[in-house]
Amino acid sequence: MSDIIQKVKNLSIGFKSKKGEEILILKNISTKIKKGETVGIVGESGSGKSTLALAMMGYVKHGLYTIGGECEFNSSNLLNMKSKDLEKIRGRKIAMIPQNAGQALTPNLKIGYQIDEALQLHSDLSEKEREKKISELLNKVRLPSPETIALRYPHELSGGQQQRVAVAMALAGTPDLLLLDEPTTGLDVTTQAHVLELLNFIAKDTGTSMVYVSHDLGAIAQVSDRIIVMYSGEIVLEGPSRDILKRPIHPYTHGLLKSIPKLSLAGLPESMPGSQPQPGIIQSGCSFFDRCNFSEDKCKNNSPQLEFLKELNTSVRCFNYEKLLKESQFNQNVNKIKNNSNDKEILNLSEVSISYAKQKLLDQIFNRISDDNPTVKDININIKKGETIALVGESGSGKSTILKSIAGLLRTKDGLIRFDENRNLSSDLKERNPNDLRIIQLIFQNPDESLNPNHTVEEIIAQPLKLYFGLKGEELNKNIIDLLQKVRLGEFYMSRYPRQLSGGEKQRVAVARAFAAKPDIILCDEVTSALDVSVQAAVLNLLQQLKEDFGTTYIFVSHDLAVVRAISDRVAVLYQGRLCEVGPSNDVYKFPSHPYTEVLLGAVLEPDPDIKPKLVAEDIVEEKPPEKGCSFQGRCSRIVGDICKKEIPPWQLTDSGNAIRCHIPIKELQKEQF
Amino acid sequence: MKVNSIYKEEKKSAFQKVSEVIITMASRPSGFIGLSILVFHIILAFISPYIAPYDFKAINPTLMLQAPSAEYWFGTDDLGRDVFTRTILGGRTALTITFFGSLIALLWGGLLGIFCGLVGGKIDDIVMRIVDAFLSIPWILAMLLIVSLLGTSTEVLIPALGFFYGKGIVRVARAATHDVIAKDFIVSARARGHSNFSIIWNEIIPNVRDAILVEGAMRWSWMLLGFSSLSFLGFGVSPPTPDWGLMISNARGLMSFAYWAVIAPIVGLSSLIIGINLTADAFAKALGIDRSTKAPV
C-alpha cells in the first residue's frame, strides 16, 4: 500500500475540563490520504477539523493531548516522534498553509528573504541555485515580476498576493503533503477563486497531496477529489467529492447543502434547527440527533458507527442513510420571499460622497471636508418602504462606509440623506434628535464584538427600550420577553451572558436589540458572515420573517452574492465607492450586466462540482479610485478605449428596469455575456 | 430547541463573583501566600492597639538597646522603647494612608483615563501631555515640596499620594479603553444616541474595571514604599507615632550593634509589600482565568 501517504488510525484528541473530566475534540478518527489526492475536510467551527489537520503534521495544540490512536506518515507515527525527527518532516515532507497569510509572514523581512529562509532549511541548494529557485517559486504561484516582489515587504502586498507567497514558501521544501487551513477564508470573492484555481493547478502540476480544511463547501467543491464531513469531532460522511455534493446521504450534509443559498435560486433556503453541540455534551447517541429530520428513537441512545458502503465508495455514520439513498435526486427548496415594498420612499441618498482623507488645518478650522477624489462618490439611491436593498462589492468598495453615514457615524462630504421624502438627516450624530436615531438601527457582522461581554441578554435588550421609550420595571420586562420570543429565544436567556450563547443565538440577541427600538430602517452589516453555514439560513429566515411582520426596511451589506440573492429585493453593486449597477435582484443576477458584476458573479463558488468559477478579470487590488473616467477601468477586460479613462460612464436602463453604468451599449454588453 | 447544559450558568450576584475570584486567587500557591500575608497585616492593623504588650511611647533610659529576650521579644530601641510593640503598630498609619491614597488614585486616574480614551482628539492630546509632564517630575521632590508647604497631616498626604500615583493609572485606563472603544458594541451605543456618561458607565467601565483594579493594586504597593521613604526622610509621620519608615531611619545608625531595632520594621514593611504584590498578581490571573483555561477548540 505504497500509495497511501498519511494514515490516521483511531485518533482521539481531547482536553481535561476544570472538573477533571476528559472531553473529546476528536473521537476515534480513521482515514487515509492517498498520494496526489486532494481531500477536503469540511465542518463548522468546533467540529475538530483544524485539530485533525494539525495532528496530521504531528502537532497537538497547547492544552489538548492525544488520548489514543496514531497519525502515520511514511509508516512512522508522528504523534510520538521526537521533536528533532519531526523537524525533518515538517516543511520538507509536510507543509502547512495558514489561514491568514498576513499574520503568518514576518512583517519586517522581505519576501525573497523569507522564502530563502525556507529553502535554506528544507533544501541543500547553493546560494546561486536558491536565488533561481525563489523566482521559480514566485513564478509558479503566478505573482507578477518575481524579481521586484522578492524585494518587497509583506505589507506592500495584497491579501491574495500574501497568500500566494505563503503557498510559495510551503512549496519551497517540495512537500509530499500540503495542509491548508482555511486558506481563502479572509480573501475577497474574486481573489478566492483565483487562489483556488492556483491550488488546483499546483496539485496537478506537482502531484502533491493536499488536505484542504474549510467551512466553505463552495471552496471545497472546487478543489477536492474526496470530502470528509466532520460534525462534533466525528467523521459523519466520507466519500468522493461529486457523490457527496450531488447525493449527500448523511442527514447533516443533506441539511447543510439545502441551507446554503445558491446563485441560481432566488429565495431563502430551508434552515437547519439548532446548532452544533459543545464538546463533552453528548454522552450517548448520535451527536446530530437533536437537529436531524430523519431521527428515530434508536438514534437517541445508540451511536451509529461509520459504515462503509462498497457500491458508493462512501462511509457514512447514520442508521437511516437508506432513506436518503432512496431520494433519487437532491432537490433544494427555497421559500420565495415576498416583496412587500410599496411605492412610498423611505430613504433617499442623493449625490452622497464620503471622504476619509485627512483634512488640512484650514478645512479643520472651518469644519469642512475637501477631497477631489473621495472614497465614496455620487451615490444616488432611492429606498422604498419595506424593501430589502443590498449593497454588494469586494472589501474596499465603500459599502460599509455608506452604512456608517446613514447611521450618522461618519460625516459625508456632500450630498443629502433624506428620510420619509421630506426630512433631512444629518450625517453627524450630534445633530440628530433621538427620534432620528431611533428610526435607524444597526446589526453588526460579529456578534462577539457587538454585544457587551459584561452585560446579560436582559441588559443588552433593555438599553434601547430604556433610552427611547423610558420603560421600567414590569413593562420593560414584558417587552424584553416579547422581543426574545420574536427572535425565537426563550425567556430563560435573559440572565445569560453573551459568552454563554452560540454564534447564532448571539446574533439573534443583536437582532432583538435592533428591533427593540421599533426602527423603520435596519442596517445589516455582513450579518451572516461570522456565522456557521448551518446557522446562517436560520438567521436569514428570521430576518425575513421579522421584516414581513413589522414592515421594516433593510439595507443589507454583504460580499456574499448568494446570500444577497436569497434575501434582497433590489441590489446595488459598488466598486471603489462608485455605483456600477442598481436593479431588482432578479435582473442584476441575469445578464446583461456591468462588467464588474459579471466578474463578481463569475467568481462565486458554489457547492457543486459542475459549476466552476469563471475568472474574467485579474484579481488586482486597487488602492484608490481613479480620478477620471470609469471606476472599474483598472480591471475591466472590456475597455472600449480612451473614453473609459476620461469620461464617467452614463447610466443605461435595461428593459427590466436595471440601471447599468457603462460606456458599452446594453446590446453589446449582452452579446458576450448571453 | 434543546439547551446545552454547559450554558446553564445563571447570573451571579456581586458577592458570588467576588468570592469566586478570591477562591481562584487562593488556589495558586503564590496567591495563597500573598493573600495570607495581606490578611495577616490587615488584621494586625486592626487589633494591634489591643494586643500591644507595652506603651509604644514609653521611654525607659535603663532599657536602651536591649537584645531580644522573653520579655522584649524584638528587643528595645535607643530610647528603651519596645520594638515589638512599635513594629506591630508601625504598619497602621502606612496601611491606612496608602489604602485611601490608592482609592483616590484609582478614581481620578481611572476616570480621567477612560474619558480621554473615549473622547480622543485634542482634549486627549492635551491631557496626556500634561500627564507626561507630571510623570517626568521626580515624585519625591514634588512630594517634599507639597509636604513642606502644607505639612504632613493625613489630610495632605492622602490626596498628595493619590495624585502622584494616579498619573500612571491614567495611561493604563486610557489604553484599556482604547481596546474597548473599537468594538462594535460601543459603536452601537453611539449610534443609538447614548450620552458619553452612559457609554462610560454602562459600556466601558464593566470592561476596563479589571485592568484598572489590578493596576490600582500594584500602585498600592508602590505607594506604600513611597510613603515609607517619606517617613524615612522625616516627612511622613511625626514622632513618636510608630512607623516603619521612621523606625528604620532612627535605628539604621545603630545597625552594627543593635540589628534587631532595624530588622523588625524592615521585615514588616517588605512582607507587606510582597504580600500586596503577590495578591495583585494572583488577582490579575484570577480575572484573566477565562481566557487561559478555556478549552482550546
Side-chain angles (χ1 to χ4, degrees), chain A residues 87-191:
Chain A
E87 271 169 33
K88 282 182 197 144
I89 290 179
R90 288 183 188 156
R92 278 187 190 220
K93 303 273 185 208
I94 307 178
M96 167 110 187
I97 296 174
Q99 171 171 355
N100 191 337
Q103 280 173 18
L105 298 173
T106 314
N108 57 355
L109 295 178
K110 287 177 184 155
I111 298 299
Y113 185 84
Q114 297 194 42
I115 298 176
D116 193 41
E117 242 180 9
L119 283 172
Q120 280 181 35
L121 261 173
H122 304 310
S123 69
D124 315 308
L125 302 172
S126 71
E127 207 180 320
K128 272 266 165 60
E129 289 169 311
R130 286 207 305 269
E131 219 166 89
K132 231 179 89 197
K133 183 90 185 177
I134 292 172
S135 46
E136 227 179 88
L137 283 168
L138 289 173
N139 246 328
K140 195 175 222 166
V141 295
R142 299 190 204 144
L143 279 166
S145 52
E147 291 76 18
T148 53
I149 286 265
L151 295 176
R152 292 215 198 146
Y153 289 99
H155 71 267
E156 295 174 295
L157 307 181
S158 69
Q161 287 174 324
Q162 286 173 346
Q163 199 62 36
R164 280 159 204 253
V165 172
V167 175
M169 273 173 82
L171 292 176
T174 51
D176 300 325
L177 177 63
L178 203 52
L179 303 173
L180 305 109
D181 192 358
E182 305 258 11
T184 61
T185 303
L187 305 175
D188 270 325
V189 261
T190 48
T191 315

Side-chain angles (χ1 to χ4, degrees), chain A residues 23 60 149-150 163 176 181 263 304 310 328 387 436 463-464 487 495 549 559 614 621 627:
Chain A
I23 289 171
V60 179
I149 286 265
Q163 199 62 36
D176 300 325
D181 192 358
L263 273 189
K310 209 164 183 194
S328 54
E387 77 171 341
D436 288 347
Q463 275 181 333
V487 296
S495 57
D549 294 351
H559 69 281
K614 292 182 275 295
V621 172
E627 304 219 344

Side-chain angles (χ1 to χ4, degrees), chain B residues 3-266:
Chain B
V3 182
N4 291 333
S5 64
I6 248 184
Y7 297 129
K8 273 190 185 155
E9 185 190 329
E10 293 303 324
K11 192 185 176 180
K12 290 176 190 137
S13 68
F15 176 75
Q16 273 174 315
K17 277 189 208 160
V18 171
S19 54
E20 204 166 84
V21 168
I22 292 176
I23 290 167
T24 334
M25 282 163 72
S27 64
R28 292 161 187 273
S30 64
F32 182 75
I33 294 170
L35 261 179
S36 331
I37 296 177
L38 183 61
V39 169
F40 171 75
H41 272 286
I42 290 171
I43 292 174
L44 197 65
F46 274 108
I47 63 167
S48 53
Y50 309 107
I51 60 160
Y54 298 94
D55 183 6
F56 66 85
K57 50 182 193 289
I59 299 172
N60 189 345
T62 55
L63 288 171
M64 266 165 51
L65 300 174
Q66 297 265 321
S69 62
E71 208 169 332
Y72 299 102
W73 291 358
F74 292 175
T76 58
D77 66 5
D78 55 343
L79 297 174
R81 295 174 294 194
D82 179 37
V83 176
F84 177 71
T85 305
R86 291 181 65 80
T87 304
I88 62 173
L89 287 168
R92 297 186 79 211
T93 332
L95 209 55
T96 328
I97 287 185
T98 52
F99 179 74
F100 287 107
S102 317
L103 277 189
I104 288 180
L106 210 61
L107 220 59
W108 87 264
L111 288 179
L112 185 64
I114 291 171
F115 178 74
C116 285
L118 179 67
V119 296
K122 291 262 148 52
I123 300 176
D124 179 39
D125 274 349
I126 293 167
V127 173
M128 287 321 286
R129 292 303 81 75
I130 295 173
V131 168
D132 285 348
F134 270 109
L135 278 171
S136 67
I137 303 173
W139 71 272
I140 192 120
L141 289 183
M143 276 300 289
L144 288 180
L145 187 70
I146 291 176
V147 168
S148 48
L149 286 178
L150 301 173
T152 58
S153 62
T154 317
E155 300 86 69
V156 173
L157 281 174
I158 291 181
L161 285 168
F163 173 73
F164 277 100
Y165 284 88
K167 291 174 303 185
I169 298 182
V170 177
R171 295 190 146 267
V172 172
R174 179 172 168 269
T177 309
H178 272 243
D179 284 347
V180 177
I181 54 165
K183 298 268 169 71
D184 285 339
F185 60 85
I186 304 280
V187 180
S188 162
R190 272 195 176 147
R192 276 197 304 270
H194 283 284
S195 64
N196 269 354
F197 174 77
S198 156
I199 291 179
I200 289 180
W201 186 252
N202 290 319
E203 309 287 343
I204 299 179
I205 287 187
N207 288 295
V208 299
R209 186 186 54 209
D210 294 355
I212 296 178
L213 280 178
V214 168
E215 183 63 20
M218 298 306 277
R219 292 285 147 189
W220 187 13
S221 75
W222 282 103
M223 196 185 283
L224 197 71
L225 203 59
F227 173 77
S228 300
S229 312
L230 275 182
S231 296
F232 182 84
L233 293 173
F235 291 93
V237 189
S238 35
T241 314
D243 178 78
W244 291 330
L246 203 58
M247 288 164 75
I248 297 169
S249 157
N250 281 340
R252 75 182 198 282
L254 316 164
M255 211 185 318
S256 53
F257 54 93
Y259 59 87
W260 54 88
V262 77
I263 291 248
I266 286 178

